[in-house]
Every structure is written in structure tokens, then in C-alpha cells.
């Protein structure tokens, strides 16, 4: 199987804070985005990679990994979905080719998870995404933060990345969402809006997204545990 990799990396990391966008924070000696790209750069099935960067990004080109000839960059947009659409249009994949979308802020993707996703999607269907069944009890609150009720958690999942779709279908889904004024927060949501039913593939709880500085310490511990730092 051959696939293309699209990586949205044009965010500014508001919740992380500080001047350095979180994807460039150092983690066990490398930038977070280098860890996020590493499994795909190391995979011969990955035919091309396209990273969406902020228009004023001067950091990406300085990274050692950017010498790989399969790597391209484009300017991202105001929303994550805009950045994904731009990178998808620029990645070089044909309409029927598989594209994986992976957050620049997810440095701990394990190779077993990637293999499970590739195997599941190649069975056919509407694409697939890594996800985790909810483990905690869910509470809904009022505006006063007092519990209104406990929500059933059966069949509820947290969506992770990578998410995997045919390039043409995903681009169409993102364009339809944009035209309708919707802002999907992941690729699956855009495909769902077109009537698609992507397959949920069990991911790992260690495939965290770095959102706040506390996540950085957690990601470092995960990578060191694997001997990657
Ligand atoms: N992203 C992007 N373009 C945007 C917004 C986000 O490419 N306009 C990317 C981020 O760089 C990140 C991924 O989408 O790799 C997931 O988004 P998130 O974790 O929300 O990152 P930020 O938007 O940078 O963080 P925050 O929401 O805290 O500002
Ligand atoms: Mg964001």
C-alpha cells in the first residue's frame, strides 16, 4: 500500500502559551513536529508528505528532517480544516490515493497503531481513524459547574490522528464544509457530513496531543519509556 501524509502545523498554540508555537517545543532533543513526522519519513510506503505552515514560519526549514525529497510545505489557513485542505491540495496525491492526516502536535504515535490503521482502511470503506473508547464517567454541568446529569459513555470515543481517507473524497468533504460555513475539528467530521461512516480503529492512550505544558512532560516520559529520547 502507498499513501500520502498531510500534516497541519499552522497553529499558534494558544492554550500552550508563550511565543514559540508548541510544534517547535523541544522534546527529548527534537522538536515535537520532528517526532510527529518521524514514523512517516521512516516508512517507504509514504510516497509524499505535505506540511501546512503558518505564513510567517521561519523555523520549519531549519529542521534536519526537512531535507527529505518527499517533503513539501504549503501555507495553512485560519482553521485547522483550512490548513488540512491546503496541504491536501498541495501534496500530490491523486483522487483515489490514500491520505493520512496527522497532527504536528502528536509526537507519540506508535508503529503498531499506524499498522492497525493502514490495515483497517485497506479493507475498503469510507476511511478510518484512530480513536479511544471513553474510560471516565461523563458529567454534564450547568453554567455554575454543578452536575446536571451523568451521560452514558457507551459507544463514545475520542478521535485521535492519524485519520485516513481517499484524497479526492476528503478534499470534497472539506470544500463542502467550508461552503456551508462549517468548521469541522477533524477530517472524519467533514466526511460524516457527506454521509460517510469512517471506521474507528483502537488507538493508544499514549498517542497524546500536546496541548498544554503539562502534556510536554508526559510526552517526554512516553518517548523515554520507549527508548526514543
Ligand atoms: N493547526 C493548523 N492550522 C490552524 C490551526 C491548527 O494547521 N489554523 C494545526 C496545529 O498546528 C496542530 C493541529 O492543527 O498541529 C491540532 O491543533 P491544536 O492542537 O488545536 O493546535 P493549535 O491550534 O496550535 O493550539 P490552540 O488551539 O491551543 O491554539
Ligand atoms: Mg487549535
Amino acid at each position: 500500500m502507498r499513501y500520502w501524509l498531510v500534516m497541519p502545523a499552522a497553529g499558534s498554540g494558544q492554550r500552550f502559551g508563550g511565543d514559540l508555537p508548541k510544534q517547535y517545543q523541544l522534546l527529548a532533543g527534537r522538536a515535537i513536529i520532528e517526532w510527529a513526522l518521524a514514523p512517516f519519513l521512516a516508512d517507504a510506503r509514504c510516497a509524499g508528505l505535505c506540511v501546512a505552515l503558518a505564513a510567517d514560519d521561519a523555523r520549519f526549514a531549519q529542521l534536519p528532517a526537512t531535507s527529505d525529497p518527499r517533503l513539501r510545505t504549503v501555507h495553512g489557513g485560519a482553521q485547522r480544516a483550512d490548513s488540512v485542505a491546503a496541504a491536501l491540495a498541495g501534496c500530490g496525491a491523486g483522487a483515489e490515493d490514500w491520505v493520512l492526516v496527522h497532527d504536528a502536535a502528536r509526537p507519540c504515535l506508535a508503529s503498531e497503531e499506524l499498522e492497525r490503521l493502514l490495515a483497517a482502511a485497506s479493507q475498503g470503506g469510507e476511511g478510518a481513524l484512530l480513536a479511544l473508547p471513553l474510560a471516565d464517567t461523563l458529567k454534564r454541568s450547568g453554567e455554575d459547574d454543578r452536575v446536571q446529569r451523568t451521560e452514558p459513555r457507551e459507544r463514545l470515543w475520542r478521535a485521535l490522528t492519524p485519520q485516513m481517507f481517499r484524497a479526492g473524497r476528503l478534499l470534497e468533504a472539506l470544500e463542502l464544509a467550508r461552503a456551508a460555513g462549517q468548521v469541522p475539528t477533524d477530517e472524519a467530521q467533514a466526511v460524516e457530513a457527506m454521509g460517510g461512516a469512517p471506521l474507528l480503529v483502537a488507538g493508544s492512550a499514549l498517542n497524546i496531543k500536546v496541548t498544554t505544558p503539562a502534556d510536554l512532560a508526559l510526552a517526554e516520559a512516553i518517548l523515554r519509556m520507549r527508548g526514543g529520547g
Side-chain angles (χ1 to χ4, degrees):
M1 150 176 294
R2 219 165 52 126
Y3 68 86
W4 274 254
L5 189 276
V6 156
M7 181 165 286
S12 59
Q14 293 298 307
R15 287 169 289 180
F16 194 93
D19 293 333
L20 184 67
K22 63 185 181 183
Q23 56 273 30
Y24 295 111
Q25 292 287 336
L26 274 186
L27 179 60
R30 298 161 86 185
I32 288 180
I33 189 171
E34 291 183 275
W35 287 107
L37 283 169
F40 306 102
L41 288 169
D43 187 355
R45 295 165 297 182
C46 182
L49 304 88
C50 189
V51 182
L53 301 173
D56 62 352
D57 187 303
R59 294 187 176 90
F60 187 77
Q62 313 292 322
L63 301 174
T66 57
S67 60
D68 192 297
R70 292 171 296 170
L71 200 57
R72 299 183 188 178
T73 62
V74 295
H75 286 171
Q79 304 291 341
R80 182 181 181 285
D82 303 322
S83 299
V84 170
L88 189 53
C91 76
E96 288 303 312
D97 288 326
W98 286 111
V99 169
L100 272 67
V101 180
H102 186 52
D103 287 329
R106 284 191 198 269
C108 302
L109 173 67
S111 56
E112 309 88 73
E113 280 180 286
L114 177 58
E115 294 309 322
R116 273 204 299 278
L117 178 70
L118 292 170
S122 63
Q123 304 294 307
E126 311 263 6
L129 62 147
L130 290 180
L132 267 184
L134 282 187
D136 299 312
T137 300
L138 282 187
K139 304 293 184 190
R140 181 173 301 280
S141 73
E143 286 189 356
D144 59 356
D145 285 353
R146 288 190 183 277
V147 174
Q148 282 184 340
R149 60 179 175 276
T150 298
E151 300 280 359
R153 68 165 179 241
E154 282 71 38
R155 314 230 68 86
L156 287 183
W157 302 65
R158 292 197 289 131
L160 313 175
T161 74
Q163 304 197 354
M164 180 169 182
F165 299 95
R166 301 273 184 196
R169 180 141 168 96
L170 179 56
L171 195 55
E172 186 189 354
L174 292 170
E175 282 168 357
L176 279 173
R178 179 152 42 187
Q182 290 156 355
V183 183
T185 51
D186 73 348
E187 291 60 59
Q189 192 183 351
V191 171
E192 292 152 35
M194 282 205 314
L199 184 65
L200 294 157
V201 178
S204 164
L206 303 185
N207 181 8
I208 62 169
K209 181 159 72 84
V210 175
T211 303
T212 66
D215 299 324
L216 193 61
L218 196 54
E220 180 132 3
I222 292 166
L223 293 173
R224 292 212 186 273
M225 179 187 75
R226 288 197 190 130

